[in-house]
Amino acid sequence: MLQIDLWKRICIWAVVALGILLALPNGFYGRVEAHNDAVKAVEMGTDPAEVQDALDNWPSWMPSGLVNLGLDLRGGAHLLAEVKVADVYQSRIEGMWPTVRDLLRDKRDEVGTIRLEPTDGPELVVRLNERPEQAARAAELVRTLASPVASLTSAGASDIDVTTRGGSIVVRLSEAEQRATDERTVRQSLEIIRRRIDEVGTREPTIQRQGSDRILIQVPGIGSATELKDIIGTTAQLTFQPVVGRTSSADERAGAGNEILPSLDEEGVFYVLERAPVVTGDELVDAQPDFDQNGRPAVSFRFNPTGARAFGDYTAANIGSPFAIVLDNEVISAPTIQSHIPGGSGIITGRFSVEESTNLAVLLRAGALPAGLEFLEERTIGPELGADSIEAGKVASIVAFALVLVFMFASYGLFGLFANIALIVNVAMVFGLLSLIGATLTLPGIAGIVLTIGMAVDANVLIFERIREEMKTARGAARAIELGYEKALSAIVDANITTLITAVILFAMGSGPVRGFAITLGLGILTSVFTAIFVTRLITVMWFERKRPKTVLQGRYLKLVKQETSVNFFRRWKLSIGVSVLLIVVAGASFFAQGLNFGIDFKGGTTIRTQSAQTVDIGDYRGAMQDLGLGDISITEVFDPTFGPDENVSMIRIQAQGDVESVTPETIAAVEAALKLAVPDIEFKSVESVGPKVSGELIMTAAIAVILAMAAVLIYIWLRFEWQFAVGAVVALVHDVILTIGVFSEVQLQFDLATIAALLTIVGYSLNDTVIVFDRVRENLRKYKTMPLAEVLNLSINETLSRTIMTSFTTMLALLALYFLGGDVIRGFVFAMMWGIVVGTYSSIFVASTCLLWMGVKRDWNKPDSNAGTQFANVDA
C-alpha cells in the first residue's frame, strides 16, 4: 500500500531542513564572510568592539560555513612546487663532520691523523693520512654514531651507512633514512609554507600535498604568483657559524669543512666560515622587528632551551672571536663576541628598512624551509576575471535551472512540479554539503552543478515514465505509483553508481579544478538519488492522501516521443555499425595525422589572458612581440556575449621550449611592456604557467584515469548483470571516447584538463543510458522467455526511449545555457559534454545493444541452451 511511516517522514524533512540550513549562508555571502573574518580577528586578539558591526552581520547561532570560491572565481595565485628533498641529504651529512672529526681525533693513536676529502655527492669522505690500513677500524668507530631511523616502516634500521674505500671511510645516509628524511622534509615544508601564508592573513588558502614530494598552494586574493613565491619561496635559513677568516674573493680555496659566503652589507667582502653551524633558525622560538641602540631597524630573536645552551656555551668559549649570522647564504652580520651571552636571546642588525626587518621577522618566525622549492606550475588570475566568471556562472545556472523547471512542468504537470521542488531542494543540499566540508568551488565546479541540474531529473523521469506504464495494467493509481517507484529503483541505483564510480576516479586522479568538478558531480549524484527516491515520493504520497485521484500522468502533456513506439532499431544495424566504424577510422586518421591541440596543462608553457578597450589586432600583438625571441606564439581573440563593448579579450599562448620552462616572470614582464607600447591600456588578467615536466605527467594521469574508469564500470556491470552486458557497455564507452577525441582533433579545439573531466563524465553519462536499457532488457528476458533476443532488445529500447530522449534533452538544455552564457573559460569543456550526450545516446541504443545481440545471453537459466551465449545471471535488482 502507498504509505510512508511517520518517523520516516520526520527523518526525510529533517535531512532536507538541515541541507537548506547549511546552504543558507551562501545566499548572504558578503555578510557571512565579513562575520567570519571578524570572529577570526577576535580569536587573534582584536578587541570585539572594533569589529562589532561585522559580528552583528550574522547571528552567531546560525551556521556560518561557506563554499570557498576558487581562484578562477575570486582571483589569486596558484603554485605547484616540488620540494628538492635531495638537498637535505647534503646538509645532514655535512652537519655530521664535527662529530666524526672529534671522534676520530680522540682515537688518533689508533687511526692516525685524518683529512676531509672534497666530494660532489651527499657523502663524507674521510682519508686516513698515516694509517690507511686502519680504515676498517675507523669505520667501526664511526658506526657507533649511528642512530635508529625514526620511522615505523624502517624500524631497526640505522640512519647512516659507513663503508671503506681504499684508505678512506665513506659516510652516507642509509636508504631507510633517506625515505624518512624525504617524508619529514615534505611535511615540514608543508607546515612552514602554511605558517608563512597564515602570517600574511589571506582568506581560505589551499595548501596540500600532492604525490610524494610536491605541494599545491592556492591563495585567493593575492596579487600574483610572483608575490606568492616571494612569500613562500624564500628559504630564510638562519644560521650562526664560526668565522675562520675574511677574503676579497669568492674563488679562494675555503678548505675542507669550510665555505666562503658573501657579506650582505659590505660589497666585495667574503667570509670563510665553518660549514657546521653553532645553532640554526630551527631553534628559534620567536623573532620580532626591533631597533638597535642607534635607533636603526633590527630583528630581536630568542632561542629554545637547546639553542640557548649551545649559543651560551659557544659565546663563553670564544670571547674575542667573531661569529657570523648567515641568512640564505649571505652574511648579514659578523660581530665579535664581547662576553658570554646567556639566556639565548639577541638582536640581528644590518642595513634593514623597517619593512625589511618586519618581513625578516615573519620569515624567521615561520621557520626555515628545510629544502629548496622548484615551481613546476604557476598561475595568476585577476579578481576582475573572477567577478566575470561568477556572474557568467550565476546567469548560466539560473537560465539552466529555469529551462529545466519549465520543461519538467510542461512534461509532467503536477508531478513535474513535485520534481521541481525536489530539484530546488537538491541544489540547496549540494551547496549545504559543499559548505559543510569546506569545499572550494571553481568554474568547472559550477559546470558540475549545472550538469547536476540537467541530470537530476533523470531519476524522476525514470519513475514518472514507469508510473505511466504501470497505469495501463495496475489496479488503480496508488498501485501504479508504488510499482513505478519499486521497478525504477534498480535502474536508478545502477545508473547512478556507475556515474559515481567515474566521479570517484576523477577525484582520485585529478587535481585542482578537475577535482572540484568531481566533488560537485559526486555530491550531486547522492543528493539527486535522495531527493528522487525520498523527497519526491513523500510529496507525491502526501498529495495522493488528500486528493485520491483515479488516474495520474494520463493528461495532455508535452511529449518528445510518443507514448508507445515500435521502432525496429536492428533493421539497419549494419548501416549504424558501419557509420560508427567509419567515424572511428576518420577520428583515428585525424589523431595520427595532426594530433590534438593540447592546452597549456599538457604541453607546458604560459597562457596570458589580456583585456583592453582597444580592438584586438592580432598582427599588432604579434609584431610587438616578434623581437622577444619567444618562438611560435599563438594569439587568439576571445568573443563572448558576457563582455562589454570596452572589453576586448585575447589569449596569448607561449609554448615551453624543450625540457626547460623558458617563460620566466622576466619574460612575461617583457611581453607586457612590449604590448603596452602597442596597446597602452592593455591589462594582463591572468597568467598560467605549466612546466613540461608536470604537463607530461598530466597526460599519463589522464590516460590512466580514463582506463581505470572503464575497468571499474566493466567490473560493476559484470557483477550486476553478466559479462556480455559488461563487454557491450565498454565497447560503447570506447566508441564514445574515440569519437570525442576525434572531434577535438579534427576541429583542433583546445584539449586540456577540463576536457578530461568532460571525457570521464561522458563515460558516466553513456553508462547511465546503457545501464537503463540493459536493466529493462534483463527484466524483459525474465518476462518473455520465448521471445527472440532481437525482439526483446527492440522492445526494451522502445520502452525506455521516452526516458532516454527526455533526460538527454534536459541535460542538453542545461549545457546549452552554460555554453552560450557561461563564458569562454569552459566552452571547450561544455562542447565536449554536448557532443558526449549525442554520441552517448546513440551508442547506448545502437552500439551496446548490437554487441549484446551478437554475443547473446542465456534465455532460461534453469536448463542449458546450445543456441544461446554464456549463462545469464539471475541477479535481482
PDB file of all heavy atoms in Angstrom, residues 742-766:
ATOM      1  N   GLY A 742      38.355  12.321 -31.433  1.00  0.00           N
ATOM      2  CA  GLY A 742      38.437  12.586 -32.863  1.00  0.00           C
ATOM      3  C   GLY A 742      37.904  13.960 -33.228  1.00  0.00           C
ATOM      4  O   GLY A 742      38.494  14.671 -34.050  1.00  0.00           O
ATOM      5  N   VAL A 743      36.788  14.360 -32.634  1.00  0.00           N
ATOM      6  CA  VAL A 743      36.225  15.680 -32.910  1.00  0.00           C
ATOM      7  C   VAL A 743      37.196  16.775 -32.475  1.00  0.00           C
ATOM      8  O   VAL A 743      37.415  17.763 -33.190  1.00  0.00           O
ATOM      9  CB  VAL A 743      34.858  15.845 -32.203  1.00  0.00           C
ATOM     10  CG1 VAL A 743      34.441  17.299 -32.168  1.00  0.00           C
ATOM     11  CG2 VAL A 743      33.804  15.020 -32.896  1.00  0.00           C
ATOM     12  N   PHE A 744      37.805  16.620 -31.303  1.00  0.00           N
ATOM     13  CA  PHE A 744      38.766  17.622 -30.839  1.00  0.00           C
ATOM     14  C   PHE A 744      39.982  17.685 -31.761  1.00  0.00           C
ATOM     15  O   PHE A 744      40.562  18.754 -31.952  1.00  0.00           O
ATOM     16  CB  PHE A 744      39.201  17.308 -29.400  1.00  0.00           C
ATOM     17  CG  PHE A 744      38.311  17.918 -28.360  1.00  0.00           C
ATOM     18  CD1 PHE A 744      37.103  17.338 -28.049  1.00  0.00           C
ATOM     19  CD2 PHE A 744      38.668  19.078 -27.715  1.00  0.00           C
ATOM     20  CE1 PHE A 744      36.257  17.898 -27.099  1.00  0.00           C
ATOM     21  CE2 PHE A 744      37.850  19.657 -26.759  1.00  0.00           C
ATOM     22  CZ  PHE A 744      36.636  19.066 -26.454  1.00  0.00           C
ATOM     23  N   SER A 745      40.366  16.539 -32.332  1.00  0.00           N
ATOM     24  CA  SER A 745      41.491  16.528 -33.256  1.00  0.00           C
ATOM     25  C   SER A 745      41.127  17.174 -34.585  1.00  0.00           C
ATOM     26  O   SER A 745      41.891  17.982 -35.127  1.00  0.00           O
ATOM     27  CB  SER A 745      41.958  15.085 -33.488  1.00  0.00           C
ATOM     28  OG  SER A 745      42.953  15.025 -34.478  1.00  0.00           O
ATOM     29  N   GLU A 746      39.958  16.837 -35.119  1.00  0.00           N
ATOM     30  CA  GLU A 746      39.555  17.358 -36.426  1.00  0.00           C
ATOM     31  C   GLU A 746      39.333  18.863 -36.391  1.00  0.00           C
ATOM     32  O   GLU A 746      39.747  19.599 -37.286  1.00  0.00           O
ATOM     33  CB  GLU A 746      38.280  16.638 -36.893  1.00  0.00           C
ATOM     34  CG  GLU A 746      38.512  15.172 -37.248  1.00  0.00           C
ATOM     35  CD  GLU A 746      37.242  14.350 -37.145  1.00  0.00           C
ATOM     36  OE1 GLU A 746      36.158  14.956 -37.082  1.00  0.00           O
ATOM     37  OE2 GLU A 746      37.332  13.108 -37.125  1.00  0.00           O
ATOM     38  N   VAL A 747      38.647  19.347 -35.340  1.00  0.00           N
ATOM     39  CA  VAL A 747      38.340  20.774 -35.243  1.00  0.00           C
ATOM     40  C   VAL A 747      39.488  21.549 -34.611  1.00  0.00           C
ATOM     41  O   VAL A 747      39.528  22.774 -34.673  1.00  0.00           O
ATOM     42  CB  VAL A 747      37.030  20.975 -34.432  1.00  0.00           C
ATOM     43  CG1 VAL A 747      36.597  22.429 -34.425  1.00  0.00           C
ATOM     44  CG2 VAL A 747      35.913  20.109 -35.015  1.00  0.00           C
ATOM     45  N   GLN A 748      40.445  20.826 -34.007  1.00  0.00           N
ATOM     46  CA  GLN A 748      41.587  21.428 -33.317  1.00  0.00           C
ATOM     47  C   GLN A 748      41.160  22.332 -32.165  1.00  0.00           C
ATOM     48  O   GLN A 748      41.742  23.392 -31.923  1.00  0.00           O
ATOM     49  CB  GLN A 748      42.474  22.191 -34.293  1.00  0.00           C
ATOM     50  CG  GLN A 748      43.331  21.293 -35.177  1.00  0.00           C
ATOM     51  CD  GLN A 748      44.375  20.505 -34.384  1.00  0.00           C
ATOM     52  OE1 GLN A 748      45.344  21.048 -33.875  1.00  0.00           O
ATOM     53  NE2 GLN A 748      44.164  19.197 -34.278  1.00  0.00           N
ATOM     54  N   LEU A 749      40.124  21.892 -31.440  1.00  0.00           N
ATOM     55  CA  LEU A 749      39.754  22.577 -30.204  1.00  0.00           C
ATOM     56  C   LEU A 749      40.813  22.295 -29.151  1.00  0.00           C
ATOM     57  O   LEU A 749      41.460  21.245 -29.158  1.00  0.00           O
ATOM     58  CB  LEU A 749      38.390  22.086 -29.708  1.00  0.00           C
ATOM     59  CG  LEU A 749      37.169  22.544 -30.503  1.00  0.00           C
ATOM     60  CD1 LEU A 749      35.927  21.814 -30.004  1.00  0.00           C
ATOM     61  CD2 LEU A 749      36.975  24.040 -30.379  1.00  0.00           C
ATOM     62  N   GLN A 750      40.971  23.231 -28.223  1.00  0.00           N
ATOM     63  CA  GLN A 750      41.980  23.043 -27.184  1.00  0.00           C
ATOM     64  C   GLN A 750      41.614  21.871 -26.288  1.00  0.00           C
ATOM     65  O   GLN A 750      40.496  21.780 -25.794  1.00  0.00           O
ATOM     66  CB  GLN A 750      42.136  24.317 -26.363  1.00  0.00           C
ATOM     67  CG  GLN A 750      43.253  24.227 -25.328  1.00  0.00           C
ATOM     68  CD  GLN A 750      43.592  25.582 -24.750  1.00  0.00           C
ATOM     69  OE1 GLN A 750      44.043  26.476 -25.457  1.00  0.00           O
ATOM     70  NE2 GLN A 750      43.382  25.741 -23.462  1.00  0.00           N
ATOM     71  N   PHE A 751      42.579  20.994 -26.076  1.00  0.00           N
ATOM     72  CA  PHE A 751      42.382  19.790 -25.269  1.00  0.00           C
ATOM     73  C   PHE A 751      43.161  19.972 -23.976  1.00  0.00           C
ATOM     74  O   PHE A 751      44.385  19.958 -23.959  1.00  0.00           O
ATOM     75  CB  PHE A 751      42.897  18.570 -26.036  1.00  0.00           C
ATOM     76  CG  PHE A 751      42.484  17.250 -25.447  1.00  0.00           C
ATOM     77  CD1 PHE A 751      41.296  16.648 -25.836  1.00  0.00           C
ATOM     78  CD2 PHE A 751      43.272  16.611 -24.510  1.00  0.00           C
ATOM     79  CE1 PHE A 751      40.914  15.429 -25.303  1.00  0.00           C
ATOM     80  CE2 PHE A 751      42.894  15.395 -23.966  1.00  0.00           C
ATOM     81  CZ  PHE A 751      41.705  14.804 -24.367  1.00  0.00           C
ATOM     82  N   ASP A 752      42.423  20.169 -22.863  1.00  0.00           N
ATOM     83  CA  ASP A 752      43.082  20.447 -21.593  1.00  0.00           C
ATOM     84  C   ASP A 752      42.500  19.585 -20.485  1.00  0.00           C
ATOM     85  O   ASP A 752      41.757  18.635 -20.740  1.00  0.00           O
ATOM     86  CB  ASP A 752      42.976  21.933 -21.244  1.00  0.00           C
ATOM     87  CG  ASP A 752      41.532  22.435 -21.297  1.00  0.00           C
ATOM     88  OD1 ASP A 752      40.612  21.598 -21.213  1.00  0.00           O
ATOM     89  OD2 ASP A 752      41.327  23.658 -21.425  1.00  0.00           O
ATOM     90  N   LEU A 753      42.830  19.931 -19.235  1.00  0.00           N
ATOM     91  CA  LEU A 753      42.360  19.139 -18.098  1.00  0.00           C
ATOM     92  C   LEU A 753      40.834  19.115 -18.008  1.00  0.00           C
ATOM     93  O   LEU A 753      40.244  18.103 -17.653  1.00  0.00           O
ATOM     94  CB  LEU A 753      42.934  19.701 -16.793  1.00  0.00           C
ATOM     95  CG  LEU A 753      44.244  19.095 -16.303  1.00  0.00           C
ATOM     96  CD1 LEU A 753      44.640  19.743 -14.992  1.00  0.00           C
ATOM     97  CD2 LEU A 753      44.137  17.601 -16.137  1.00  0.00           C
ATOM     98  N   ALA A 754      40.196  20.229 -18.319  1.00  0.00           N
ATOM     99  CA  ALA A 754      38.739  20.271 -18.262  1.00  0.00           C
ATOM    100  C   ALA A 754      38.132  19.298 -19.266  1.00  0.00           C
ATOM    101  O   ALA A 754      37.076  18.702 -19.019  1.00  0.00           O
ATOM    102  CB  ALA A 754      38.240  21.690 -18.536  1.00  0.00           C
ATOM    103  N   THR A 755      38.804  19.100 -20.414  1.00  0.00           N
ATOM    104  CA  THR A 755      38.315  18.152 -21.406  1.00  0.00           C
ATOM    105  C   THR A 755      38.380  16.729 -20.860  1.00  0.00           C
ATOM    106  O   THR A 755      37.505  15.905 -21.153  1.00  0.00           O
ATOM    107  CB  THR A 755      39.135  18.266 -22.699  1.00  0.00           C
ATOM    108  OG1 THR A 755      39.216  19.632 -23.089  1.00  0.00           O
ATOM    109  CG2 THR A 755      38.493  17.463 -23.812  1.00  0.00           C
ATOM    110  N   ILE A 756      39.415  16.431 -20.080  1.00  0.00           N
ATOM    111  CA  ILE A 756      39.495  15.101 -19.455  1.00  0.00           C
ATOM    112  C   ILE A 756      38.322  14.898 -18.509  1.00  0.00           C
ATOM    113  O   ILE A 756      37.711  13.832 -18.448  1.00  0.00           O
ATOM    114  CB  ILE A 756      40.837  14.948 -18.700  1.00  0.00           C
ATOM    115  CG1 ILE A 756      42.000  14.973 -19.684  1.00  0.00           C
ATOM    116  CG2 ILE A 756      40.854  13.660 -17.895  1.00  0.00           C
ATOM    117  CD1 ILE A 756      41.978  13.868 -20.708  1.00  0.00           C
ATOM    118  N   ALA A 757      37.985  15.961 -17.756  1.00  0.00           N
ATOM    119  CA  ALA A 757      36.814  15.874 -16.884  1.00  0.00           C
ATOM    120  C   ALA A 757      35.571  15.588 -17.714  1.00  0.00           C
ATOM    121  O   ALA A 757      34.718  14.761 -17.337  1.00  0.00           O
ATOM    122  CB  ALA A 757      36.638  17.174 -16.102  1.00  0.00           C
ATOM    123  N   ALA A 758      35.457  16.255 -18.864  1.00  0.00           N
ATOM    124  CA  ALA A 758      34.303  16.023 -19.738  1.00  0.00           C
ATOM    125  C   ALA A 758      34.304  14.596 -20.272  1.00  0.00           C
ATOM    126  O   ALA A 758      33.249  13.942 -20.336  1.00  0.00           O
ATOM    127  CB  ALA A 758      34.324  17.018 -20.897  1.00  0.00           C
ATOM    128  N   LEU A 759      35.480  14.099 -20.654  1.00  0.00           N
ATOM    129  CA  LEU A 759      35.562  12.725 -21.170  1.00  0.00           C
ATOM    130  C   LEU A 759      35.079  11.717 -20.138  1.00  0.00           C
ATOM    131  O   LEU A 759      34.319  10.790 -20.442  1.00  0.00           O
ATOM    132  CB  LEU A 759      37.013  12.398 -21.552  1.00  0.00           C
ATOM    133  CG  LEU A 759      37.483  12.757 -22.961  1.00  0.00           C
ATOM    134  CD1 LEU A 759      38.943  12.397 -23.131  1.00  0.00           C
ATOM    135  CD2 LEU A 759      36.642  12.034 -23.996  1.00  0.00           C
ATOM    136  N   LEU A 760      35.524  11.892 -18.911  1.00  0.00           N
ATOM    137  CA  LEU A 760      35.124  10.953 -17.864  1.00  0.00           C
ATOM    138  C   LEU A 760      33.638  11.099 -17.535  1.00  0.00           C
ATOM    139  O   LEU A 760      32.974  10.123 -17.193  1.00  0.00           O
ATOM    140  CB  LEU A 760      35.969  11.178 -16.615  1.00  0.00           C
ATOM    141  CG  LEU A 760      37.376  10.576 -16.724  1.00  0.00           C
ATOM    142  CD1 LEU A 760      38.258  11.080 -15.603  1.00  0.00           C
ATOM    143  CD2 LEU A 760      37.332   9.066 -16.714  1.00  0.00           C
ATOM    144  N   THR A 761      33.112  12.300 -17.663  1.00  0.00           N
ATOM    145  CA  THR A 761      31.679  12.477 -17.436  1.00  0.00           C
ATOM    146  C   THR A 761      30.880  11.846 -18.571  1.00  0.00           C
ATOM    147  O   THR A 761      29.803  11.288 -18.355  1.00  0.00           O
ATOM    148  CB  THR A 761      31.333  13.976 -17.328  1.00  0.00           C
ATOM    149  OG1 THR A 761      32.216  14.562 -16.377  1.00  0.00           O
ATOM    150  CG2 THR A 761      29.914  14.173 -16.860  1.00  0.00           C
ATOM    151  N   ILE A 762      31.417  11.929 -19.788  1.00  0.00           N
ATOM    152  CA  ILE A 762      30.784  11.248 -20.921  1.00  0.00           C
ATOM    153  C   ILE A 762      30.738   9.747 -20.657  1.00  0.00           C
ATOM    154  O   ILE A 762      29.740   9.079 -20.938  1.00  0.00           O
ATOM    155  CB  ILE A 762      31.550  11.549 -22.225  1.00  0.00           C
ATOM    156  CG1 ILE A 762      31.325  13.002 -22.640  1.00  0.00           C
ATOM    157  CG2 ILE A 762      31.129  10.613 -23.352  1.00  0.00           C
ATOM    158  CD1 ILE A 762      32.258  13.468 -23.735  1.00  0.00           C
ATOM    159  N   VAL A 763      31.836   9.226 -20.111  1.00  0.00           N
ATOM    160  CA  VAL A 763      31.860   7.808 -19.742  1.00  0.00           C
ATOM    161  C   VAL A 763      30.712   7.503 -18.793  1.00  0.00           C
ATOM    162  O   VAL A 763      29.953   6.542 -18.972  1.00  0.00           O
ATOM    163  CB  VAL A 763      33.219   7.446 -19.092  1.00  0.00           C
ATOM    164  CG1 VAL A 763      33.154   6.071 -18.459  1.00  0.00           C
ATOM    165  CG2 VAL A 763      34.324   7.492 -20.139  1.00  0.00           C
ATOM    166  N   GLY A 764      30.552   8.349 -17.758  1.00  0.00           N
ATOM    167  CA  GLY A 764      29.467   8.129 -16.799  1.00  0.00           C
ATOM    168  C   GLY A 764      28.104   8.312 -17.415  1.00  0.00           C
ATOM    169  O   GLY A 764      27.179   7.528 -17.148  1.00  0.00           O
ATOM    170  N   TYR A 765      27.938   9.320 -18.257  1.00  0.00           N
ATOM    171  CA  TYR A 765      26.632   9.594 -18.865  1.00  0.00           C
ATOM    172  C   TYR A 765      26.239   8.482 -19.824  1.00  0.00           C
ATOM    173  O   TYR A 765      25.099   8.010 -19.822  1.00  0.00           O
ATOM    174  CB  TYR A 765      26.670  10.929 -19.603  1.00  0.00           C
ATOM    175  CG  TYR A 765      25.317  11.324 -20.155  1.00  0.00           C
ATOM    176  CD1 TYR A 765      24.416  12.021 -19.365  1.00  0.00           C
ATOM    177  CD2 TYR A 765      24.942  10.969 -21.446  1.00  0.00           C
ATOM    178  CE1 TYR A 765      23.168  12.367 -19.854  1.00  0.00           C
ATOM    179  CE2 TYR A 765      23.701  11.301 -21.943  1.00  0.00           C
ATOM    180  CZ  TYR A 765      22.816  12.003 -21.143  1.00  0.00           C
ATOM    181  OH  TYR A 765      21.577  12.328 -21.630  1.00  0.00           O
ATOM    182  N   SER A 766      27.190   8.063 -20.670  1.00  0.00           N
ATOM    183  CA  SER A 766      26.912   6.984 -21.616  1.00  0.00           C
ATOM    184  C   SER A 766      26.542   5.701 -20.876  1.00  0.00           C
ATOM    185  O   SER A 766      25.626   4.976 -21.272  1.00  0.00           O
ATOM    186  CB  SER A 766      28.137   6.753 -22.501  1.00  0.00           C
ATOM    187  OG  SER A 766      27.928   5.670 -23.384  1.00  0.00           O
TER     188      SER A 766
END
